Structure formats: C-alpha cells, structure tokens
Amino acid sequence: MSRYLLLLLAAAAPALWAQTLLSTLPNGMKVLVEEDNRAPVVSVRLWYRVGSVDEHPGKTGLSHALEHMMFKGTKAVPAGQFSRRIAALGGSDNAYTNRTDTVYTTDIASRHLDEVLRMEADRMGGLNFSDRDFANEMDVIREERRMRTDDSPSGKMWETLNMKMWRKPFNQAPVIGYMADLHTLKADDLRAWYRQWYAPNNAMLVIAGDVDAQKTIKTAQRIFGGIPARDLPPRNDEAESPAAAAPVSAEVAAATAQPLVSINWRVPKAEKIGDETPYALDMLSLVLAGTDSARYDKKLQRGDAVALAVSAGYNDYGRKNALFSVTAMPNGGITPAALKARLMGEIRDIAVKGVTQQELDLVRVPVETARIFAKDSVRNRADTLGALEQNGFGWQSEDETLRRLLAVTPAQVQAAARLLLAAPAAEITVLPQQNAAQPQKGRLKTARPAQNAAHFERNKAEKP
C-alpha cells in the first residue's frame, strides 16, 4: 500500500508546488503565469484593454475589425502566416472582441511557447497590413454581421435590446459595428486605432500550463521588453445607473419558425468582491435555469412543455454595467405573451414565497462540481485568471468568488427576485417574418433541442 501512496504523492507533487506569479514589466505590460506541469501544454492569452465601448458614432466596429487585421501580417510574418505557423506547430489559435477587451488565444505544446510569444510581440509592435487585405477582410466582416445579427433571431434580439435599453451610443452599438459603418471604415482608421491602443502598457499576457513561472516572466521581458510604452487615450465612461432605467417593450421580425422572448433588467454590477447583490442575482439565475432541476427547466420545459428552450443569467455588461436576462422560445401554439407571463410568474413566486435551502443545495452541488472540473483545464485556467485580473478583482479571488456564491442564502435569493419585480424591465419579442415557416405544433418534453441552443448562446464577441 505504501508503494501506491508514494506514487500518488509523486503524481500530485507538481500541482502542490505550482506557482502563480503576476509581474509588471518596465514598459507597463502585465504578465500573469500559472504553473501546471501535469501535461506538456500551455495556453496563452494576450488581452488588450480596448473594445466597442471605446468607439464613437460613425466608427463602430473598429475594435473587432482590427482583431481580424491582426492576422494580416507583419514584415516578419506575412498575411495569413500566423495561424498557419501555429497549426504547423500542432497548436490552435483564435481571438475575440467584446465590449471592453480584445483577446488573442493560443493553445500549444509548451516547447513552442517562445515562438508564440515572439510572434505576438511582433504583431504588437509591427502590424503592417495592406489596403487590399483590409478591403477583402471587410467583406468577410460584413458577411459575419449578416450571419450573426441580420440573419440571426438571437442576434437581432440582442441588438434591439441594446439600442432600446441603453442611452449612451457606445453601449447601444453592436461589437461588430453597424452595417453602415462597416461600409465606410477605412484602412487608415484601423491603423490609427492600432497605434492608439495596441501598446504593452495596455496589455496583459496570461500563460497557464507546463512552464516555470519565474523563467517565463523573464522570457516575456526579453521578448516584449523592447516595445515602448505609449500614451493612451481616455476610455469612454459607459456607466449607466440601474436607477435611470426605463421600461422597454419592442418587437422585431426575423427569419425564425418560432418566436423568441427576452425579459431584461439593468441591475447592480459587482464593484468589489464583497458586494452581495451580484452573487444573489447569479444564484437566482441558477435557481431559475442553471441546472436540470431548475424551475424553468423542470416546470416550463419538461413539465408543462410551454417552452422549447429557456435560459437565465446575470451578466456583466462591460466594466460598469450589468444585466439580468431571461430568454425563452415558446413551444407549439403558446403565445409570446403567455410564455412571458409564465417566466415572470416563477420570479414572482420566489419574491413572495422564497426558496428552500434544499432548492439551493440542488443548485450548489453541480455548480461547485463544474468549477472543480474546470480547474483541470489549462485553457480554462488562462481564461478564468485573466478575466478576474483584467476586471479588477485580482486573480487570487477565484476561490473567494465561488465561496461567496455558494454562501448565498434563501433570503438573499428572495431579495434578488424582489429587486427584479421592483425594477423596470426591457422586453424584446422576436416574431417570425410573414414568409417564415409556421410555428411547430404539439408538446415537447425533452431537453432543449440542439438546433435551438444557438439562440441562447450569445456570441462571445457580442456578450451584452
């Protein structure tokens, strides 16, 4: 038995002694490294603090368009070669833009980390795309907008919500930009945007995986240290108080066989780790639709089968705003109004009668389990630690945020439901276009269909 115990301890030793280090290079670039030596792989995330909330009317979509152009070449790495070289090394790469950040991702064998960092530093300081590549890529981006927004029921729903719910133009605008702006942006607009925002003192490098943290920080200094810091423009203040919200009710037509309904509230955002209301709202969303035993899933989908799919969530909206959203697709002949009444009925029931400790326990277990399993992925580690640090909570707060979520009481969930009932709601209904297929008939008592899941998975770049 002792032999097997020694083997187990030896296998666990790397994780027990793993370090997580955060350092700021002399040029202002932050470097966050977490060691995980269980497999010879590494995940790299390079965050830039720029997104759609930094844009101005007439120039929407700049940040997302520049994300595309970052793959269009430098003098050392010609257009299209970045991803080809990563693939040739056995890795994968991607990028996304949201309202506040642009992030570049690479997952690769750890022995190729230096090469990845050299290419990232090269395009941080030496992007050099042609007007022709810009024109070609804008065609791609306009088609992406058609696919994700103009021809997407959920895309139309979120765009309509943003335009109706918010007052500041950069909060209203879609991350991908308005189509009119995508036809008028110039290559020099993106070059200027790049010079404004893509600087080491506006970036954070996150690395998780099979590395030595101290040596990796020194490597980052060697590779990125020669890129000079730059004066940065002020960022737009996107804060809009929940107290200033007004009721919204809007309908929009889309190419869908089934309607979509969405009920949304502007709610308090977490400003610091100890804020209680965001955790209560998050737990309320889990009670409503977070697990198979949640109220919406159990009653509206599998029970009475009035909904084909339902989701609920508390979502940060940029750095200073937050939303609580409920979205659903009615089943068969159920009207959008009837489904919205059922959705609100469950929230009202919690506000009046509360929830039991047993109901919370049924939610807590799968949430805690999912968080534990997520720690087994270096990809998840890089994403999670980077998001916590970038949003000002600090990478060390991960366990504390989970502890506070799991400590939410029935009384706090009830208070969160009452908060929603007392706040003005923004209701968006997506209706089938006249030439769209007729709604399905009958009752559906199975889990949400895969073909409908896309309606409830907001694109990462478009997360409101």
Side-chain angles (χ1 to χ4, degrees):
M1 181 66 71
S2 59
R3 177 188 175 192
Y4 292 107
L5 179 59
L6 287 173
L7 288 173
L8 179 62
L9 291 173
L16 293 174
W17 292 103
Q19 289 190 91
T20 302
L21 297 179
L22 174 65
S23 180
T24 301
L25 305 184
N27 61 7
M29 187 170 117
K30 294 173 71 173
V31 182
L32 176 60
V33 184
E34 180 174 86
E35 299 174 353
D36 185 338
N37 306 123
R38 294 173 300 166
V41 295
V42 66
S43 287
V44 180
R45 306 291 184 261
L46 186 55
W47 293 67
Y48 290 94
R49 288 183 290 273
V50 61
S52 63
V53 296
D54 300 298
E55 298 163 1
H56 299 280
K59 299 291 184 182
T60 63
L62 272 172
S63 300
H64 175 257
L66 180 55
E67 173 215 311
H68 279 240
M69 298 313 298
M70 285 290 283
F71 294 89
K72 296 305 174 182
T74 66
K75 291 182 179 179
V77 183
Q81 286 299 310
F82 189 102
S83 295
R84 290 191 186 100
R85 293 186 184 186
I86 295 296
L89 295 172
S92 62
D93 70 303
N94 210 329
Y96 64 88
T97 304
N98 58 34
R99 298 195 167 273
T100 57
D101 303 288
T102 307
V103 185
Y104 299 86
T105 73
T106 303
D107 302 300
I108 202 163
S110 53
R111 67 181 183 275
H112 300 306
L113 176 60
D114 281 22
E115 177 64 17
V116 172
L117 297 185
R118 281 192 292 269
M119 289 198 295
E120 285 289 10
D122 178 49
R123 64 179 177 179
M124 176 188 284
L127 184 64
N128 185 33
F129 59 84
S130 68
D131 288 356
R132 180 177 180 180
D133 282 340
F134 166 78
N136 290 338
E137 198 63 26
M138 289 307 297
D139 286 340
V140 173
I141 293 170
R142 286 189 286 267
E143 183 57 33
E144 181 183 348
R145 186 196 147 83
R146 293 185 189 99
M147 179 182 69
R148 294 187 183 277
T149 302
D150 300 337
D151 296 335
S152 165
S154 59
K156 277 197 170 184
M157 179 181 70
W158 293 117
E159 183 168 82
T160 302
L161 171 66
N162 291 332
M163 288 191 293
K164 298 289 186 180
M165 173 172 269
W166 306 104
R167 294 294 173 263
K168 295 183 178 181
F170 39 82
N171 286 337
Q172 295 174 331
V175 172
I176 200 169
Y178 295 115
M179 185 63 86
D181 292 344
L182 298 182
H183 281 286
T184 59
L185 289 180
K186 307 297 183 187
D188 283 343
D189 293 329
L190 270 67
R191 295 183 181 112
W193 200 246
Y194 170 76
R195 290 191 296 270
Q196 281 183 284
W197 296 103
Y198 277 57
N201 51 315
N202 198 41
M204 178 176 65
L205 176 66
V206 182
I207 299 169
D210 185 25
V211 296
D212 179 298
Q214 293 183 342
K215 290 181 179 178
T216 301
I217 289 174
K218 292 178 180 178
T219 299
Q221 167 61 29
R222 172 172 53 83
I223 293 175
F224 289 89
I227 305 174
R230 189 178 303 151
D231 290 337
L232 300 170
R235 303 193 73 175
N236 290 330
D237 179 10
E238 80 268 29
E240 295 194 40
S241 171
V248 171
S249 180
E251 294 182 350
V252 61
T256 177
Q258 298 292 124
L260 286 173
V261 298
S262 181
I263 311 172
N264 309 268
W265 295 265
R266 282 161 51 178
V267 292
K269 181 175 187 313
E271 299 292 340
K272 55 185 184 299
I273 289 296
D275 291 345
E276 293 184 353
T277 300
Y279 296 105
L281 288 165
D282 202 2
M283 185 59 75
L284 173 61
S285 74
L286 295 170
V287 168
L288 290 172
T291 68
D292 289 341
S293 63
R295 293 194 176 204
Y296 286 161
D297 294 67
K298 184 168 60 176
K299 296 181 180 180
L300 274 61
Q301 280 190 257
R302 299 194 307 277
D304 295 337
V306 297
L308 290 171
V310 189
S311 68
Y314 169 79
N315 301 294
D316 285 350
Y317 183 96
R319 297 162 295 176
K320 299 181 180 180
N321 300 313
L323 284 181
F324 190 98
S325 298
V326 174
T327 304
M329 177 180 287
N331 182 24
I334 304 299
T335 66
L339 182 55
K340 283 191 283 188
R342 291 294 304 271
L343 295 169
M344 289 300 303
E346 291 301 324
I347 295 175
R348 189 171 292 106
D349 184 73
I350 294 173
V352 174
K353 300 178 182 178
V355 296
T356 65
Q357 187 62 50
Q358 182 183 19
E359 191 171 6
L360 287 190
D361 290 341
L362 287 173
V363 171
R364 286 192 180 111
V365 172
V367 168
E368 187 172 18
T369 301
R371 295 286 185 94
I372 292 171
F373 278 110
K375 290 189 175 186
D376 198 41
S377 163
V378 293
R379 293 181 182 180
N380 181 274
R381 302 304 301 146
D383 291 333
T384 299
L385 297 179
L388 287 169
E389 187 65 32
Q390 189 79 342
N391 288 318
F393 299 114
W395 64 268
Q396 307 97 323
S397 64
E398 179 186 11
D399 290 341
E400 179 65 9
T401 59
L402 177 59
R403 186 192 70 78
R404 288 181 176 273
L405 175 63
L406 298 179
V408 170
T409 65
Q412 289 174 312
V413 174
Q414 184 177 29
R418 289 173 176 174
L419 174 66
L420 297 185
L421 292 184
E427 299 184 8
I428 307 297
T429 304
V430 181
L431 298 173
Q433 294 172 343
Q434 289 185 352
N435 59 351
Q438 293 300 311
Q440 301 172 15
K441 302 296 183 181
R443 291 162 61 84
L444 181 68
K445 291 193 176 183
T446 59
R448 68 178 58 117
Q451 65 266 31
N452 291 321
H455 291 300
F456 301 90
E457 295 296 331
R458 269 168 272 177
N459 177 260
K460 210 169 191 179
E462 299 285 349
K463 183 180 177 182

